[in-house]
Amino acid sequence: MTAWFDLTKKEFCLGLPAFIFSLIALIGIFTISIMFGLSTNLMWEMLTIGAFAAVALHVFYLAYYLLYSLSVERKRMHLWLHNPLPIGSILLAKLISGIAYMLITLITAVTVLWQAYKNSALSINLNEWLTTAISSVIALLLTALLLGCAYVFFWTIFMALSRTYNDFLSFLLTFFFFLVAASLLNMINSLSFLTDWGVINSGSVLSGFELNTSNEYQHYEIENLSPIFYIGHFVRDLVLAALLFAGSSWILDRKVEV
């Protein structure tokens, strides 16, 4: 266990540049939102929109982090794969460090979003907001995990192929496998009875919003939005992520030579 903790600490150091870049990008989104808001006298409103976009973009965070981490690792593959720990433990260390960094930036973005909304002139009509917020965060985290594991899986396929073919042909074959996998997943999703169970229905969540500026008061009514979450979808994403992670570990262990 001590060896795995040491490896995880090494992964945190390895991924630090990716984390710093994500913080810079986050600050950049906030800065642009504030500057645009100041020019329109709607600073808090624009910051609310920018922070919401920053939160939503976290669905790609883990894939981005692993893209950086694995691209660095490829330069010293012989050292990485000769680690005495099981391949699954080595990949898990990367996932843990990526998730930890993602949670830091996500909490930062959510905090800015909440503070900006409280100080803005926006008033959104929400019912059962806590249920929707929790379900949305779970969906975001699971989707981020699924995309991250999917990237690792196809990266390992690319690495296995690159031992026989050049990088360009390996990329084309990997992309072909990706299209086949996407088609199979789409076929599974069409069988809705497999995943559309355990409904979490928060009712009419968003019915409109109000904007009260110094010059005028505006109220916007929109069609009631009733987002429906399924526990089955959460289970599906978690199972797929676990299968992709297991497949990645097997390919690295059996098919990627150093």
Side-chain angles (χ1 to χ4, degrees):
M1 185 61 73
T2 301
W4 184 80
F5 279 119
D6 290 339
L7 176 64
T8 304
K9 287 191 291 185
K10 189 268 295 183
E11 294 297 343
F12 273 101
C13 294
L14 180 69
L16 186 60
F19 170 66
I20 292 175
F21 180 80
S22 63
L23 280 181
I24 293 173
L26 200 63
I27 294 172
I29 292 175
F30 296 154
T31 302
I32 293 173
S33 300
I34 291 173
M35 293 177 61
F36 186 72
L38 289 173
S39 65
T40 58
N41 293 321
L42 294 171
M43 186 190 76
W44 292 112
E45 291 74 18
M46 292 298 103
L47 183 57
T48 299
I49 296 173
F52 180 81
V55 170
L57 285 173
H58 275 79
V59 73
F60 303 107
Y61 189 96
L62 201 54
Y64 143 76
Y65 177 86
L66 290 170
L67 185 153
Y68 170 82
S69 182
L70 290 173
S71 65
V72 173
E73 213 70 77
R74 189 186 182 192
K75 300 174 183 177
R76 49 186 183 186
M77 183 68 70
H78 62 291
L79 296 176
W80 186 51
L81 293 184
H82 280 162
N83 191 296
L85 290 172
I87 293 297
S89 298
I90 298 175
L91 288 178
L92 183 61
K94 288 191 177 295
L95 279 178
I96 293 296
S97 61
I99 290 172
Y101 281 139
M102 179 179 69
L103 289 177
I104 294 174
T105 56
L106 179 61
I107 291 173
T108 301
V110 169
T111 301
V112 172
L113 172 61
W114 178 246
Q115 292 299 322
Y117 171 71
K118 287 200 303 183
N119 288 281
S120 71
L122 289 171
S123 177
I124 302 176
N125 303 325
L126 292 174
N127 300 313
E128 301 293 339
W129 65 271
L130 184 58
T131 300
T132 302
I134 293 175
S135 300
S136 298
V137 169
I138 293 174
L140 186 149
L141 292 177
L142 285 178
T143 304
L145 177 63
L146 178 59
L147 291 178
C149 289
Y151 175 78
V152 174
F153 178 74
F154 288 106
W155 179 84
T156 56
I157 290 179
F158 171 79
M159 290 302 302
L161 291 172
S162 64
R163 299 298 168 181
T164 304
Y165 309 104
N166 60 54
D167 283 357
F168 179 71
L169 183 57
S170 298
F171 174 80
L172 290 180
L173 291 173
T174 303
F175 185 69
F176 172 75
F177 289 138
F178 169 77
L179 293 179
V180 172
S183 299
L184 292 175
L185 182 60
N186 186 56
M187 291 174 59
I188 294 175
N189 287 336
S190 64
L191 303 175
S192 59
F193 67 91
L194 293 176
T195 56
D196 290 358
W197 52 269
V199 62
I200 304 174
N201 194 342
S202 57
S204 297
V205 176
L206 178 61
S207 58
F209 63 93
E210 299 169 354
L211 177 60
N212 186 10
T213 64
S214 56
N215 297 325
E216 58 181 334
Y217 175 85
Q218 300 176 2
H219 177 80
Y220 300 90
E221 291 287 344
I222 62 177
E223 184 179 353
N224 286 344
L225 298 179
S226 302
I228 299 177
F229 298 92
Y230 293 97
I231 296 178
H233 290 184
F234 297 159
V235 174
R236 175 201 62 195
D237 292 347
L238 191 59
V239 170
L240 284 175
L243 290 175
L244 289 170
F245 182 83
S248 302
S249 301
W250 185 86
I251 292 173
L252 277 177
D253 189 36
R254 303 294 181 85
K255 300 300 181 180
V256 178
E257 299 177 355
V258 292

